[in-house]
Amino acid sequence: MEEEANLSINMRRFLLIINCLILSVGVCGGPLMMRLYFVEGGLRIWFNSWLQTGGWPLTIIPLVILYFYRRKTKGSDTKFYYITPRIFIASFIIGVFTGVDAYLYSWGGSKLPVSTSSLLIAAQLAFTAIGAYFIVKLKFTSYSINAVVLLTLGAVLLGMRSNGDRPEGVTSKDYVIGFIMTLLAAALYGLILPCIELMYLKAKQAITATLVLEIQMVMCFASTAFCTIGMIANKDFQAISREAKHFNLGEGRYYIVVIWSAIIWQCFFVGAVGVIYLSSSLMSGVLIAVLLPITEVLGVIFFDEKFSAEKGLSLFLSLWGFVSYFYGEFKQAKKVEKKKIQENEMTTTPQIEHV
């Protein structure tokens, strides 16, 4: 049996939950691993950008499993890959912009504490909502609007105690530039998500799990290639071994941090494209935004940052927004399911012939 392009509602919900969990690992763990790298002596911004997508070969594992599954059920004539040249080019272009976004985010992350960078990255939800409205014509509901407002308000509250949080050794100029870089990263990624959704809509072929993984792999490969050029120009490859020897946690743990950074960031990208495939780009943006306060709490635990009342309120508002969005999605799914049942009843009801 070939992969089904049209999943049942229950299976789609199950896969959506799995992808949300995978994305959660990336959203919460990625920024913490990045901050750990810089706090403990890491200095290479291009290298850190490279790590965000450098784990793309890991995607080959599920692709191989899916291939042998298709081969077992369909036979030896099954396709080895589904991506077309048209989708490949679109994925590669989006991947290059993802590489630019990774560099902007790494630059900001090297100068800002987790709390401030989380605040700014949460702004991507607004850009995702606007981009989804104009690029893929996604309709807003009262629940999604409520979620965007609550999540944005929660993100703003995170920054109310950000004054005076400039890390030691970071100049005011670098702090401001880092602030701007992170905000630009949020804006760019907020537009990348709807572009991925648009690519799915314009694919002119069935969007299967295999195709989604292939698209994600091409995007991350293009991003990694872009960052590799930056590393070569900045001579980062020659500096890695020296940096490892001077890493505060030790040379061995330096490479552990590097490897796990690549793995965790890959969870972010796989989860993000999976959520877009199973739901929408706005859903992906909402989940990323709601998890940022969780990252804030983890920053408090691992980096001894203060947990203020504003941060607690922000966490509450973000969770409220998340529940609001999911409740709206649940009601929408119920309407679609009810409509399908009514349509099936109309088609199966025998027609009375008129004499």
Side-chain angles (χ1 to χ4, degrees), residues 161-218:
R161 290 292 185 92
S162 62
N163 292 331
D165 66 344
R166 179 161 50 90
E168 185 179 352
V170 176
T171 64
S172 297
K173 180 181 178 181
D174 285 344
Y175 183 88
V176 172
I177 295 176
F179 195 96
I180 296 173
M181 289 284 203
T182 307
L183 187 59
L184 288 174
L188 181 56
Y189 197 71
L191 296 176
I192 286 174
L193 292 178
C195 287
I196 296 173
E197 185 175 2
L198 180 64
M199 180 169 54
Y200 290 163
L201 296 173
K202 300 292 185 180
K204 294 182 180 179
Q205 68 182 93
I207 305 297
T208 64
T210 295
L211 181 59
V212 170
L213 287 172
E214 288 172 352
I215 290 172
Q216 186 269 334
M217 185 174 69
V218 172

Side-chain angles (χ1 to χ4, degrees), residues 19-29 31 118 122 124 151 158 268 284-298 315 318-319 322:
N19 278 273
C20 285
L21 291 174
I22 294 173
L23 179 58
S24 300
V25 172
V27 172
C28 295
S118 295
Q124 64 88 23
L151 290 166
L158 279 176
F268 173 84
S284 183
V286 167
L287 184 58
I288 292 171
V290 80
L291 288 170
L292 290 172
I294 307 298
T295 307
E296 182 78 23
V297 173
L298 294 175
L315 179 60
S318 296
L319 293 175
F322 188 56

Side-chain angles (χ1 to χ4, degrees), residues 64-111:
V64 170
I65 294 174
L66 287 171
Y67 170 73
F68 281 107
Y69 172 77
R70 296 195 307 274
R71 187 180 176 89
K72 180 181 178 180
T73 55
K74 189 172 177 62
S76 58
D77 59 340
T78 187
K79 287 185 178 181
F80 185 70
Y81 60 88
Y82 285 100
I83 195 168
T84 61
R86 183 168 169 265
I87 298 178
F88 180 90
I89 293 172
S91 302
F92 195 91
I93 293 173
I94 294 175
V96 172
F97 281 103
T98 302
V100 175
D101 182 78
Y103 178 77
L104 293 172
Y105 184 46
S106 291
W107 213 105
S110 68
K111 308 300 179 185

Side-chain angles (χ1 to χ4, degrees), residues 55 134-135 140 142 159 177 206 260 266 286 306 347:
F134 286 104
I135 296 175
F140 283 115
S142 58
I177 295 176
W260 276 104
Q266 197 59 207
V286 167
K306 294 181 179 179
T347 54

Side-chain angles (χ1 to χ4, degrees), residues 17 37 59 74 235 263 314:
I17 292 173
Y37 169 82
T59 314
K74 189 172 177 62
K235 298 182 179 179
I263 294 173
S314 172

Side-chain angles (χ1 to χ4, degrees), residues 113-122 151-165 175 179 293 296 308-315:
V114 175
S115 58
T116 305
S117 60
S118 295
L119 158 69
L120 296 174
I121 289 298
L151 290 166
T152 304
L153 181 59
V156 170
L157 285 172
L158 279 176
M160 292 184 66
R161 290 292 185 92
S162 62
N163 292 331
D165 66 344
Y175 183 88
F179 195 96
E296 182 78 23
S308 63
E310 287 83 359
K311 293 177 182 179
L313 182 57
S314 172
L315 179 60

